[in-house]
């Protein structure tokens, strides 16, 4: 029997390719080119499976043009690059990579919060530019983190990880808003209190965004929401670009309507809204919240396991539309 063919749409660990090569004929992307839709469609011809990252969009055009496709395994927990309804209708399984990145991503959320509140990158730029000639009492004085109020919008696994770090490590008063309230047990473990979105915006000293992107979370933080925040507040986004209205945020930062922001994700990334590159009170990182070598290996392994499991035994570990597996 001939082996299924798969496409690995972005560069990945050589060990991952070797492992997939034990089961499949693999077409890889060693140059790590980000393919256009038509290139992706061309590469997917005859492929039963695809290993993707967030940059590879699987939509109705791709599905219609690739009738042999059975599974797309995303090396990411977020899957807003999938039109999941269209995949289900086409009988294509989608899988993501949850859990393996939860703690690493929560660590980074905290790193960005600390860097933002304590003005780490702004002060480093000052030092590197040779501007540090004397000490002064208010030089880069930032916001307090310990004992302050930590607001979390989106209280899934990563949000809970950030809450635990804040409550147990930094003695923070944790409040959150989510589509649904957590169980009393989970709230107790995170020492977190459920509040309305308005109370969250008005009360948080630091607001961390960890909600998934969808049409309903598009610009969940825009001009109106930023106006409700404290002028001393810091905003951290490790969720997805598009959840924050970057143009409105740049204005709020420039006019000091909020104190600072830490951003790992951007609307239209890797392009960054130009004003965000020039305002001083923002910490910018290139979508690296899950980027440790062990975690990226675990994400790649999980995506590979999903492809191997589904194409060899009809079973996947982390299906997004399991009805396809049953059908
Ligand atoms: C990925 C992420 O690295 O998992 C996610 O949802 O945002 C990151 O961990 C990125 O999406 C690349 O696929």
């Amino acid at each position: 029997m001939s082996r299924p063919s798969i496409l690995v749409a972005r560069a990945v660990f050589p060990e991952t390719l070797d492992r997939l090569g034990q089961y499949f004929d693999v077409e890889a992307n060693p140059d790590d080119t980000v393919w256009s839709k038509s290139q992706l469609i061309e590469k997917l011809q005859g492929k039963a499976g695809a290993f993707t990252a967030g940059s590879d969009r699987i939509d109705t055009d791709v599905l219609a043009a690739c009738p042999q496709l059975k599974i797309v395994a995303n090396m990411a927990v977020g899957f807003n690059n999938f039109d999941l309804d269209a995949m289900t209708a086409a009988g294509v399984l989608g899988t993501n990579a949850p859990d393996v990145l939860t703690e690493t991503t929560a660590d980074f959320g905290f790193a960005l919060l600390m860097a933002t509140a304590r003005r780490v990158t702004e002060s480093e730029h000052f030092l590197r530019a040779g501007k540090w000639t004397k000490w002064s009492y208010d030089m880069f004085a930032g916001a307090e983190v310990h004992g302050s109020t930590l607001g979390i919008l989106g209280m899934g696994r990563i949000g809970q990880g950030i809450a635990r770090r804040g409550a147990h490590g930094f003695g923070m008063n944790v409040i959150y808003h989510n589509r649904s309230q957590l169980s009393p047990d989970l709230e107790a473990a995170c020492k977190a209190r459920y509040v309305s979105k308005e109370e969250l915006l008005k009360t948080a000293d630091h607001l961390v965004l960890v909600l998934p992107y969808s049409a309903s979370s598009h610009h969940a933080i825009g001009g109106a929401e930023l106006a409700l925040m404290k002028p001393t507040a810091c905003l951290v986004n490790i969720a997805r670009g598009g959840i924050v209205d970057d143009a409105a945020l740049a204005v709020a930062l420039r006019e000091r309507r909020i104190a600072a922001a830490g951003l790992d994700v951007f609307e239209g990334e890797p392009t960054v809204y130009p004003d965000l590159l020039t305002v001083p009170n923002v910490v910018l990182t290139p979508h690296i919240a899950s980027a440790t070598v062990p975690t990226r290996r675990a994400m790649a392994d999980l995506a590979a396991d999903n492809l191997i499991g589904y194409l060899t035994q009809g079973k996947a570990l982390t299906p997004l539309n399991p009805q396809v597996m049953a059908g």
Side-chain angles (χ1 to χ4, degrees):
M1 220 175 81
S2 70
R3 298 171 357 132
S5 294
I6 66 159
L7 179 70
V8 178
R10 297 293 306 275
V12 73
F13 298 102
E15 296 82 356
T16 311
L17 291 178
D18 289 347
R19 179 140 175 270
L20 289 167
Q22 292 168 18
Y23 300 86
F24 309 120
D25 289 337
V26 178
E27 179 172 349
N29 180 0
D31 299 335
D32 204 25
T33 308
V34 180
W35 292 319
S36 65
K37 184 189 284 198
S38 57
Q39 287 172 314
L40 182 63
I41 288 174
E42 193 190 315
K43 301 275 179 191
L44 278 173
Q45 292 311 300
K47 306 294 191 310
F51 181 117
T52 54
S55 50
D56 308 302
R57 177 131 190 87
I58 306 297
D59 60 13
T60 45
D61 298 334
V62 173
L63 294 162
C66 306
Q68 280 162 303
L69 197 59
K70 292 189 170 65
I71 171 172
V72 185
N74 224 22
M75 185 183 147
V77 64
F79 52 91
N80 55 306
N81 55 316
F82 288 176
D83 181 336
L84 199 60
D85 290 340
M87 289 171 74
T88 306
V92 174
L93 184 73
T95 65
N96 67 339
D99 300 320
V100 291
L101 47 54
T102 300
E103 299 303 327
T104 299
T105 305
D107 282 349
F108 191 82
F110 230 89
L112 206 47
L113 190 165
M114 295 292 292
T116 304
R118 299 303 306 273
R119 305 174 65 179
V120 172
T121 56
E122 194 185 347
S123 62
E124 183 180 349
H125 288 144
F126 171 88
L127 183 152
R128 285 181 188 269
K131 295 180 182 167
W132 187 26
T133 54
K134 61 179 175 20
W135 178 91
S136 65
Y137 76 99
D138 61 349
M139 190 169 65
F140 295 105
E144 211 70 271
V145 174
H146 73 272
S148 64
T149 294
L150 170 62
I152 300 176
L153 186 58
M155 198 60 154
R157 291 161 285 212
I158 298 169
Q160 291 168 41
I162 291 169
R164 286 194 308 273
R165 283 160 177 75
H168 301 295
F170 289 79
M172 297 171 91
N173 165 38
V174 181
I175 54 176
Y176 75 98
H177 184 74
N178 195 40
R179 273 173 305 187
S180 51
Q181 190 169 350
L182 296 183
S183 68
D185 284 0
L186 284 178
E187 282 192 344
C190 300
K191 289 195 180 174
R193 185 168 62 86
Y194 184 80
V195 296
S196 68
K197 185 175 171 188
E198 187 177 337
E199 186 179 343
L200 185 83
L201 291 164
K202 286 181 169 167
T203 319
D205 294 312
H206 305 284
L207 178 61
V208 183
L209 309 179
V210 210
L211 65 169
Y213 180 81
S214 67
S216 61
S217 63
H218 181 75
H219 287 187
I221 302 294
E225 289 75 19
L226 291 162
L228 290 178
M229 292 176 68
K230 295 179 179 179
T232 50
C234 297
L235 175 71
V236 171
N237 187 7
I238 56 164
R240 274 290 179 274
I243 290 175
V244 174
D245 177 344
D246 286 349
L249 176 61
V251 172
L253 289 167
R254 197 175 290 288
E255 295 180 356
R256 304 272 169 180
R257 285 193 240 139
I258 66 168
L263 306 174
D264 187 49
V265 288
F266 304 88
E267 285 188 284
E269 64 187 49
T271 303
V272 175
Y273 185 72
D275 276 9
L276 288 174
L277 297 170
T278 60
V279 282
N281 46 342
V282 61
V283 179
L284 305 168
T285 53
H287 202 145
I288 57 167
S290 66
T292 66
V293 173
T295 291
R296 287 282 165 86
R297 281 194 190 281
M299 293 163 70
D301 284 347
L302 182 49
D305 285 342
N306 278 318
L307 281 165
I308 295 164
Y310 193 58
L311 291 177
T312 66
Q313 291 167 37
K315 289 184 193 140
L317 293 170
T318 50
L320 294 164
N321 48 354
Q323 60 272 45
V324 169
M325 282 195 331

